[in-house]
Amino acid sequence: MSNNGLLSLSSSMAGDIVVIHVNGVLDATTRDQFSDFLDAAADDHGPDLILDLGKVTFMDSRALGLIVHHWQRSTTAGGNFALVSVQYPNSKVMWVTGLSQRLPLFDTLDEALAAFAA
């Protein structure tokens, strides 16, 4: 678990897939904390990664860039990557940039896990 007051990060396992639960602000002030947590999760658990963004209150383009980096890292290593519970009002940058059409978005964790199994 990682918590700096603006951002709280935790992880859980869904089988052998790590799920990162993000709660708070994803911007320049929390980017390093977010990056370090994602790097550690990937190093500890392998390339399969699900980010639960349901409790994100704000996301900027730097955080989105970091998410894209981890999507590419995961898929390049032969893993699966998914974002779940993304809320448009708090993550508008995904739609403004057009990445909402390219990133693997799912409404629920179960939907993402089903896509991984397919």
Side-chain angles (χ1 to χ4, degrees), residues 17-86:
I17 300 166
V18 66
V19 180
I20 306 298
H21 306 277
V22 184
N23 185 350
V25 175
L26 290 175
D27 67 5
T29 64
T30 60
R31 186 185 188 285
D32 289 343
Q33 175 191 2
F34 188 43
S35 179
D36 292 347
F37 199 88
L38 292 178
D39 286 340
D43 291 346
D44 291 346
H45 301 288
D48 291 332
L49 180 64
I50 296 175
L51 297 180
D52 179 349
L53 302 179
K55 294 185 179 177
V56 168
T57 56
F58 175 78
M59 179 188 303
D60 74 3
S61 60
R62 289 182 187 158
L64 181 57
L66 184 60
I67 289 170
V68 169
H69 167 75
H70 278 274
W71 170 44
Q72 293 169 334
R73 177 182 175 180
S74 181
T75 56
T76 298
N80 294 294
F81 182 90
L83 304 174
V84 299
S85 301
V86 178

